Amino acid sequence: MSTGTAELEERRARLEAARDALTGLDEVLAGACGNDLGALMELLDEVAARASAGRVVVALEAVRRGEAAGSATHAWIRQHAPSLRQSGAAALARLVVDVAAGDTPTHRRDPDPDTPLGVVWAAVRTGEIEAHTGCAVLRETTRLAPLLQPAALPTATTGLVALAAEHGPAVMRRLRPRLLAEHGRDGTLEDLHTHLAAAARLSTPRIESGDLTEYQLWMTPEQAATLEAAIGPLSAPAPNEQTGEPDLRPAGQRRVEALTTVCATATTLHTGTHDTDRGPDTTLHLTIPLTDLTSGTTRDPGELLADLTDQAVPSATAPLPSSSTARRAGTVLATTADGTLLPPETVRRLGCDAGLLVHLLGARGEPLTLTRILRLYTRGQRRHLLLR
């Protein structure tokens, strides 16, 4: 018996012993004390992760030997790994077939570690992520590949793997705006927001007689940030000033009442029944480096900064050209939309309207200036413009 065969038989015996040890485990758990249960759970989790990785390499070996191939791989896995019939068999089959596709008639070749498949395969074969999670990461990298700079794709894939391993594949889409802002091709984030605008919509009301009216709302990041800036302060809990009793309204009720207040204010503005000049209806805080704010423009950074602040800025404050790793986006602050990324073009457009506070940062992240909240046009003047 060869050395390799003997080692395989020894490992098979250990696996059978582990299987026997897990059988009837619930019957002896009463003897656990202290932190035994936590330590036992950690051990079981590690064993399960290693077993998952073991199934992957065994399935790949079956494909490479021809015991399973192409569409038959799924059936082979379902036959020999019945627990995966519930879910996971298709993802495992897809992954091992993709990995085996890189083989040549004379050599077995693992995927290039600098490709998305190579990054995902390294994580799956070690048990860091499950095969179905790896397939989800590959689907996301396929969507991102045309949008990112080619050199950034392995880095982005590594970040997605780490995020999926920590929080599951469902949260990967949250990282997409950050990846596009930091590693996307020029104008990618702006293009994404433009395409999202066509998909944003507010449904017509679904009215039930004597019951609540239902709406469905889909918004772009810019629209959502503006909405949260408007209703956020109004939806905060408001204790009774006289009695000190807490505000017992649930968050959903406070938010819809805040939205109603904003809509009522807008209605009085258009009808001319609201005479108090309170300035802008909403205030949106953004931080953005000056290099990012001026990217895509031909104007001197000092001139653009002066337009936003009404302050003369020496040309010496003009930053160095932004690098490919620049964030190239503004970050929303001080609302429930914190962290939302907006493209520089959107920030520049918002900078022409009322109620925007831009915290400009220099090339090294140092604060340069804080724009004012009151713009040149008062509410009364804006009302007059509406009549023209």
Side-chain angles (χ1 to χ4, degrees):
M1 184 179 293
S2 66
T3 303
T5 303
E7 183 177 353
L8 178 60
E9 289 301 321
E10 180 182 356
R11 292 192 180 223
R12 183 197 299 271
R14 291 180 180 178
L15 288 172
E16 292 174 347
R19 178 193 61 195
D20 295 340
L22 293 173
T23 303
L25 181 63
D26 58 321
E27 301 173 0
V28 297
L29 290 180
C33 59
N35 296 324
D36 287 351
L37 289 178
L40 182 60
M41 179 63 83
E42 292 175 3
L43 178 59
L44 288 171
D45 185 70
E46 185 175 356
V47 170
R50 297 290 178 87
S52 176
R55 284 188 304 203
V56 172
V57 295
V58 169
L60 176 62
E61 184 68 18
V63 172
R64 283 173 164 170
R65 291 188 180 191
E67 294 184 22
S71 59
T73 305
H74 186 197
W76 187 91
I77 292 173
R78 286 176 57 86
Q79 177 185 353
H80 297 287
S83 65
L84 294 181
R85 294 173 185 173
Q86 303 171 34
S87 66
L92 176 54
R94 189 181 309 114
L95 183 62
V96 295
V97 167
D98 288 347
V99 172
D103 294 344
T104 66
T106 57
H107 293 88
R108 297 179 174 184
R109 297 191 306 184
D110 284 343
D112 184 343
D114 291 330
T115 64
L117 182 59
V119 174
V120 168
W121 174 242
V124 171
R125 72 184 301 179
T126 59
E128 181 182 355
I129 58 176
E130 297 282 347
H132 68 86
T133 302
C135 287
V137 172
L138 289 175
R139 287 194 297 271
E140 182 67 13
T141 56
T142 299
R143 298 187 188 99
L144 289 172
L147 307 176
L148 296 178
Q149 300 174 24
L153 194 55
T155 302
T157 307
T158 301
L160 290 173
V161 167
L163 186 66
E166 184 69 22
H167 303 288
V171 301
M172 287 191 300
R173 291 187 63 182
R174 300 180 186 177
L175 190 61
R176 187 183 299 176
R178 179 71 61 182
L179 290 174
L180 295 181
E182 295 182 353
H183 305 292
R185 300 176 187 270
D186 291 341
T188 297
L189 190 59
E190 289 86 346
D191 292 342
L192 174 63
H193 281 234
T194 301
H195 288 105
L196 288 177
R201 61 192 183 277
L202 172 63
S203 68
T204 56
R206 179 181 177 184
I207 303 174
E208 296 290 344
S209 178
D211 205 341
L212 295 175
T213 299
E214 178 184 346
Y215 290 88
Q216 290 185 323
L217 176 63
W218 293 264
M219 307 183 77
T220 67
E222 175 189 349
Q223 293 166 341
T226 303
L227 175 65
E228 294 301 330
I231 70 174
L234 297 176
S235 62
N240 190 301
E241 297 181 357
Q242 284 72 34
T243 64
E245 295 179 359
D247 188 347
L248 300 180
R249 295 175 300 163
Q253 179 183 349
R254 297 197 308 270
R255 286 173 60 80
V256 74
E257 290 178 359
L259 179 59
T260 303
T261 300
V262 171
C263 293
T265 302
T267 301
T268 58
L269 173 63
H270 284 284
T271 58
T273 59
H274 195 283
D275 295 327
T276 304
D277 190 358
R278 301 183 306 173
D281 297 316
T282 64
T283 301
L284 182 62
H285 289 255
L286 287 153
T287 61
I288 183 168
L290 185 59
T291 52
D292 297 350
L293 183 65
T294 58
S295 65
T297 70
T298 57
R299 301 182 56 189
D300 179 84
E303 294 178 2
L304 183 59
L305 183 59
D307 282 351
L308 290 174
T309 62
D310 286 345
Q311 299 172 7
V313 181
S315 58
T317 62
L320 296 175
S322 58
S323 66
S324 60
T325 59
R327 202 173 44 178
R328 292 183 291 180
T331 305
V332 176
L333 298 173
T335 75
T336 50
D338 278 6
T340 300
L341 296 181
L342 300 180
E345 182 61 34
T346 299
V347 176
R348 288 193 291 269
R349 185 174 67 254
L350 289 174
C352 299
D353 301 326
L356 178 70
L357 280 170
V358 180
H359 305 255
L360 287 174
L361 307 177
R364 293 176 296 277
E366 72 278 10
L368 291 181
T369 186
L370 171 64
T371 60
R372 65 185 187 183
I373 187 172
L374 292 178
R375 309 300 294 182
L376 297 178
Y377 294 102
T378 66
R379 172 168 293 194
Q381 290 172 319
R382 293 200 305 274
R383 288 183 195 151
H384 183 70
L385 291 174
L386 290 173
L387 300 177
R388 298 179 57 128

